[in-house]
Amino acid sequence: MSLVGSYVALSKPLALVFPVLLLAWLRFGIGGAAMLHWLRRPADEPPLSRQTRRLLFLESFLGNFLFTLCMITGVKLTTAVSAGVIMAAIPAAVAVLSWLFLRERVAPRVWAGVACAVLGIGLLALARGAWASAGEATSLAWLGNLLLIGAVLCEASYAVIGKKLTGTLGPRRITAIINLWGFALTTPFGLWLAWDFDFRGVPGSAWLLLLFYSLAASMWTVWLWMTGLRSVPAAQAGVFTVLLPISAALVGVLALGEHLGGLQLLAFALALAGVLLATVPSRAALRMGGASRR
């Protein structure tokens, strides 16, 4: 999630060079070329069932395609305050969906971690709002807020479906297949936009940034997320999505020259406390682990 937030922040210059859907198409194409060898089915893995194929499509459609469109378009239409507050709901949305669809028991400590995460990013959003000009809001801010709520649900669905998939498929194969679906979904738009796009006018630095963005967004982060989901409940993993807006803000401060004040530092502390609450083993768990080793 830290890496996701980093490439989201660093992809801002790319969005100024490439149209959003062309950028998405190039991302999936470059990422797919880098992991063609991950598509091969291992000998110990069962053939894809109809349900697994359906889940793989939904994972890509919701987590890759719709999330990107909702997030980028939503942020353009609304204010930084609204975007930060709404995206702070991702951990809670993951916990609720995992309880509803995976029948996971969400421990009180995880709910407390979710609450800290939401409060921390809410404070961060309010702090960022102090820098935002009043002119950021548009007459379509309500639509932007709805799109951001859609992005929250897409990201939460991505975590829950990913947990389901890791029960039958390996992380590398999941990563490669959902990227292939993303490439298929964006190809009609990508080809149409590429027809009139002046690729010769793209500077070399943008191509290097595109390479990093493609490998990070399509390959590295997805593989790390799916690997972690194999051994961590979805509700607990969802708390880590708090690191997405945190790392994006830190990259903005360190690489893009934005200001960091006391309220932002308090927000980071609360959010990280939420992660610790949800992930550090309890005393009972440590005692059980020690007993099992003996």
Side-chain angles (χ1 to χ4, degrees):
M1 282 298 108
S2 298
L3 187 56
V4 171
S6 300
Y7 77 65
V8 165
L10 293 175
S11 66
K12 288 183 179 180
L14 289 174
L16 298 176
V17 177
F18 299 98
V20 172
L21 284 170
L22 177 59
L23 177 60
W25 182 58
L26 292 171
R27 161 200 158 176
F28 291 126
I30 294 171
M35 51 183 166
L36 277 174
H37 58 295
W38 285 6
L39 285 170
R40 183 178 302 171
R41 180 170 67 90
D44 58 344
E45 217 171 71
L48 296 178
S49 66
R50 181 176 298 178
Q51 182 189 23
T52 302
R53 290 193 182 97
R54 189 161 51 243
L55 289 175
L56 286 166
F57 171 76
L58 286 174
E59 181 80 336
S60 184
F61 180 70
L62 296 172
N64 285 339
F65 184 71
L66 275 187
F67 175 79
T68 300
L69 293 182
C70 290
M71 167 66 79
I72 295 177
T73 309
V75 169
K76 286 182 178 179
L77 293 177
T78 189
T79 62
V81 174
S82 297
V85 171
I86 292 170
M87 296 310 293
I90 291 177
V94 174
V96 170
L97 289 184
S98 65
W99 175 67
L100 285 174
F101 294 104
L102 298 180
R103 301 302 180 189
E104 288 184 355
R105 179 184 174 273
V106 182
R109 275 172 24 119
V110 175
W111 283 120
V114 167
C116 284
V118 172
L119 180 59
I121 300 305
L123 280 176
L124 179 62
L126 292 173
R128 291 176 63 192
W131 326 328
S133 63
E136 278 192 52
T138 70
S139 60
L140 292 176
W142 62 271
L143 178 58
N145 291 337
L146 284 178
L147 288 171
L148 286 168
I149 292 171
V152 167
L153 295 176
C154 286
E155 185 66 14
S157 301
Y158 177 81
V160 172
I161 296 172
K163 177 63 178 178
K164 189 79 171 177
L165 287 170
T166 55
T168 54
L169 299 177
R172 289 188 177 187
R173 195 150 181 248
I174 295 173
T175 303
I177 293 175
I178 65 175
N179 182 83
L180 186 62
W181 266 119
F183 183 72
L185 288 167
T186 55
T187 289
F189 307 99
L191 289 175
W192 179 64
L193 291 167
W195 185 261
D196 293 322
F197 186 77
D198 182 17
F199 288 96
R200 291 174 297 181
V202 178
S205 58
W207 287 114
L208 289 175
L209 189 56
L210 175 63
L211 178 63
F212 166 78
Y213 169 69
S214 301
L215 295 177
S218 292
M219 189 176 183
W220 302 332
T221 57
V222 182
W223 173 72
L224 287 170
W225 180 253
M226 295 301 167
T227 302
L229 277 177
R230 297 188 80 173
S231 54
V232 176
Q236 191 175 29
V239 178
F240 284 90
T241 60
V242 74
L243 295 174
L244 192 160
I246 286 180
S247 58
L250 285 176
V251 169
V253 171
L254 298 175
L256 305 178
E258 295 182 357
H259 174 69
L260 181 64
L263 195 57
Q264 292 93 325
L265 291 173
L266 177 60
F268 291 156
L270 277 170
L272 292 176
V275 173
L276 289 175
L277 269 174
T279 57
V280 173
S282 64
R283 291 182 181 179
L286 290 173
R287 285 197 299 269
M288 288 178 64
S292 64
R293 284 192 294 272
R294 287 194 293 270

